[in-house]
Amino acid sequence: MENTLLELRGVTKRFGEATALAETSLSIHEGSFVAIVGPSGCGKSTLFNVIAGLLAPDGGEVRLQGEPVTGATGHVGYMLQKDLLVPWRTVEDNITMAARLTRRVNNVDRAEARRVATEYGLGDFLRHYPRALSGGMRQRVAFMRTLVTHQPLLLLDEPFGALDAQTRLDMQQWLLQVWRDTGRTVLFITHDVDESLFLSDRVLVMSPRPGRVVADITNPLARPRDMETLTDPAFIELKSRIMHLLHGGAS
Amino acid sequence: MTRKLLRNIGVPVLSLLLLLALWQAIVVGFNVAPYVAPRPWQAILSVTQNWSTIWPLALGTIRETVYGFLIGAFLGVFLGVVMAKIPVLQRSVYPVLVLSQAVPIIALASPLVLILGFSIMPKIVIVAWIVFFPVTVNVVDGLSHVDPDLINLARVYGAPRWRTFVHIEMPATTTPLFSGLKIGATYAVTGAVIGELAASEGSSLALYQEHANSNLNAAAVYGTTMVMTAIGISWFLLVVATEVAATPWQRRSVARRYPWRRARFETDGAASIVSSLSKGES
């Protein structure tokens, strides 16, 4: 449990004059669920893109399982608010997309896609095209596509940001279930404080200009979490603390 | 199903019949002389009565149209891909391509016949010349509008560029590609006819029409035009049918089950035991 999976050492990123990410160091334990909250422009997505290897940092180092992976790709699962399902592939073929993009899709990949989809409630939709699915279902497919990459670290960038409140709550509970079942490590970006507390073991609060981590808060709320968690006094207290950090004590 | 079929086929046929009725009404109503403009049935009759002469000529026009179209389409896709992938080429080649289309095609036809002779070649070149352009323009546009997040996702997976191209970029360009092909398909027969006219020797549908024209045989002139139009429409419909077959996801909610895929489904029961989803396993 206490093994460090991901480590950032003094990572910085500038875009021209603007510092998108000031020197950032952090380490993420294997199997943990870490939420990152912050307003737009605080460098959350920049941080993700550096970890994923889409952006090379201007300074510092990214290590995954002790290996340096700075600026390299192919070592994380990655999911955005947009589901990025391709309309010309069925649900099954969308789930196996990572395999198709890196090697040949084989029967093991297909069997796994079917197994995961069946296990998490989309078994009847394997042969459907994405256009036939609701927003929540599409996000679930996108998550399954991320899951079957077998990467130990999943980067989720506001994955439920475009969903309505009810669907979002369902998806959050569903995500916790999958996370419990598979033991992956999750880094989860959101600007919704409730969501960050509901899901995580630990909340990193970020602030803009320059983008940086201003607080690292352990989330002690008991699991499993449900609707009751949202009205727990400990939840309210943590929420107000994070709100103060985000809005400079103005609220 | 029958309702849909009725709407998709019945309505276009009906509007075609209305068009013929309008033609009939104008010619009769204004009492147009038969050597100026024939009645629709006279034009049709002139085709059916001379079918044994017209069909081999039409076959020649079809051949020119199809060969020219296929060459133009492949060239168009190739140029589109190359230009979208190599910005320097896009900047240097694009103006030349625009220039090629600004030159009046009729002015090009005669020199082409001089260079390539009276064979099928100049006609094919003219058709390809007309067809490639809309295809290239649409492919370039399509490829440069693929969602960058989708390409980034492929990068995060560690996908090599050629796989990203095959599995993401090209399929994402299907719709604009077919738009270009459909535009090309409607113009293709025009190119073939221009080529036939420029050759002014041998036997062809265009020269058959020229001959009828100089004989004041308006029925044959209109009849030949109908044959040419029918070739154009048929080719367009064939391209549309190809698009429908190639893009099932645009109309269907569920993928068709193919026999060979079902076979595959049955064979991987054993494979599923092998796979598991534990953490960090690769």
Side-chain angles (χ1 to χ4, degrees):
Chain A
M1 195 62 193
E2 290 304 299
N3 288 336
T4 298
L5 179 72
L6 174 77
E7 196 177 8
L8 267 65
R9 291 181 189 163
V11 169
T12 59
K13 182 66 193 175
R14 280 182 305 276
F15 293 117
E17 294 292 293
T19 303
L21 197 59
E23 198 171 305
T24 301
S25 297
L26 50 93
S27 69
I28 306 290
H29 294 312
E30 207 172 312
S32 62
F33 197 127
V34 180
I36 300 174
V37 282
S40 3
C42 71
K44 295 173 296 196
S45 294
T46 304
L47 181 69
F48 261 34
N49 289 337
V50 167
I51 296 172
L54 287 175
L55 287 173
D58 294 311
E61 194 184 25
V62 182
R63 280 172 175 272
L64 190 75
Q65 293 169 317
E67 300 290 321
V69 292
T70 320
T73 57
H75 55 262
V76 297
Y78 182 84
M79 177 181 171
L80 305 180
Q81 183 171 325
K82 278 198 273 184
D83 55 65
L84 297 176
L85 301 181
V86 296
W88 56 87
R89 293 274 181 194
T90 60
V91 166
E92 180 187 322
D93 290 345
N94 263 289
I95 296 176
T96 55
M97 203 56 177
R100 184 170 300 104
L101 283 166
T102 47
R103 52 186 170 79
R104 276 183 73 92
V105 177
N106 57 37
N107 283 341
V108 177
D109 298 319
R110 281 187 277 261
E112 183 177 27
R114 287 201 291 282
R115 199 176 60 72
V116 175
T118 308
E119 201 170 325
Y120 297 114
L122 283 173
D124 294 336
F125 296 92
L126 282 162
R127 307 196 51 77
H128 281 59
Y129 290 111
R131 69 193 282 265
L133 306 185
S134 68
M137 288 160 90
R138 293 174 63 108
Q139 279 310 82
R140 262 190 277 178
V141 175
F143 185 73
M144 290 171 195
R145 180 190 60 200
T146 314
L147 206 59
V148 300
T149 56
H150 291 281
Q151 303 291 0
L153 177 65
L154 307 181
L155 305 181
L156 312 182
D157 191 347
E158 297 201 43
F160 309 143
L163 303 176
D164 64 84
Q166 183 55 48
T167 311
R168 177 192 269 234
L169 197 63
D170 292 344
M171 291 295 288
Q172 288 166 350
Q173 280 168 314
W174 179 80
L175 174 62
L176 285 180
Q177 185 202 338
V178 180
W179 172 67
R180 216 173 35 238
D181 292 350
T182 62
R184 304 295 178 85
T185 307
V186 176
L187 260 179
F188 189 103
I189 286 183
T190 177
H191 55 243
D192 179 343
V193 178
D194 283 14
E195 183 171 58
S196 72
L197 286 170
F198 186 73
L199 294 173
S200 73
D201 302 319
R202 182 180 163 198
V203 181
L204 301 173
V205 184
M206 290 187 73
S207 158
R209 279 175 297 275
R212 66 202 187 282
V213 177
V214 289
D216 186 342
I217 297 165
T218 306
N219 179 356
L221 297 170
R223 293 185 191 275
R225 295 172 187 164
D226 50 29
M227 301 291 283
E228 302 296 305
T229 312
L230 298 171
T231 49
D232 189 312
F235 179 92
I236 307 285
E237 195 198 310
L238 274 173
K239 181 178 172 181
S240 103
R241 198 174 138 203
I242 295 170
M243 289 296 225
H244 273 83
L245 284 163
L246 286 174
H247 301 110
S251 58
Chain B
M1 192 62 201
T2 24
R3 266 183 70 97
K4 207 173 146 193
L5 208 70
L6 207 69
R7 197 182 54 214
N8 288 350
I9 295 173
V11 174
V13 167
L14 198 70
S15 68
L16 203 68
L17 288 175
L18 274 174
L19 204 67
L20 291 178
L22 189 69
W23 173 359
Q24 174 81 13
I26 291 171
V27 174
V28 174
F30 291 91
N31 202 15
V32 182
Y35 60 87
V36 176
R39 310 272 193 274
W41 61 267
Q42 289 176 320
I44 293 168
L45 213 62
S46 112
V47 174
T48 51
Q49 281 171 352
N50 298 296
W51 188 244
S52 57
T53 314
I54 290 177
W55 176 240
L57 301 178
L59 214 57
T61 307
I62 291 169
R63 203 172 290 131
E64 293 150 15
T65 305
V66 172
Y67 291 168
F69 179 89
L70 292 178
I71 292 170
F74 277 106
L75 187 70
V77 172
F78 175 77
L79 283 172
V81 169
V82 167
M83 281 176 17
K85 288 286 145 193
I86 309 171
V88 181
L89 278 185
Q90 187 164 350
R91 254 170 272 133
S92 55
V93 177
Y94 217 134
V96 179
L97 298 189
V98 174
L99 187 83
S100 81
Q101 301 303 301
V103 177
I105 194 73
I106 296 180
L108 268 173
S110 304
L112 273 173
V113 171
L114 283 180
I115 296 166
L116 298 169
F118 295 107
S119 67
I120 193 174
M121 280 310 288
K123 291 116 183 174
I124 290 177
V125 170
I126 290 168
V127 174
W129 190 290
I130 293 176
V131 169
F132 91 87
F133 189 70
V135 176
T136 300
V137 170
N138 278 283
V139 168
V140 170
D141 274 6
L143 285 176
S144 48
H145 285 100
V146 179
D147 187 345
D149 284 332
L150 205 47
I151 294 176
N152 274 341
L153 185 71
R155 278 183 61 203
V156 169
Y157 289 151
R161 282 181 63 175
W162 70 268
R163 277 189 188 271
T164 309
F165 180 75
V166 171
H167 293 297
I168 302 284
E169 293 174 278
M170 264 335 267
T173 308
T174 330
T175 304
L177 168 65
F178 273 104
S179 299
L181 291 175
K182 281 185 278 188
I183 296 169
T186 50
Y187 287 139
V189 72
T190 306
V193 170
I194 289 173
E196 289 176 356
L197 274 178
S200 71
E201 198 158 301
S203 55
S204 63
L205 208 54
L207 294 180
Y208 174 84
Q209 189 182 36
E210 277 260 291
H211 188 70
N213 199 29
S214 55
N215 289 340
L216 293 182
N217 184 354
V221 173
Y222 277 68
T224 317
T225 304
M226 287 165 103
V227 172
M228 291 166 173
T229 310
I231 294 171
I233 291 173
S234 308
W235 189 240
F236 176 82
L237 290 178
L238 203 66
V239 173
V240 171
T242 310
E243 179 179 21
V244 169
T247 58
W249 68 87
Q250 295 192 337
R251 273 156 304 275
R252 304 179 61 88
S253 296
V254 186
R256 235 183 257 280
R257 226 172 235 285
Y258 298 102
W260 60 90
R261 276 188 73 115
R262 196 176 303 142
R264 199 194 67 198
F265 264 71
E266 280 154 10
T267 53
D268 39 47
S272 67
I273 301 164
V274 180
S275 78
S276 77
L277 250 186
S278 62
K279 63 173 173 179
E281 181 196 77
S282 53

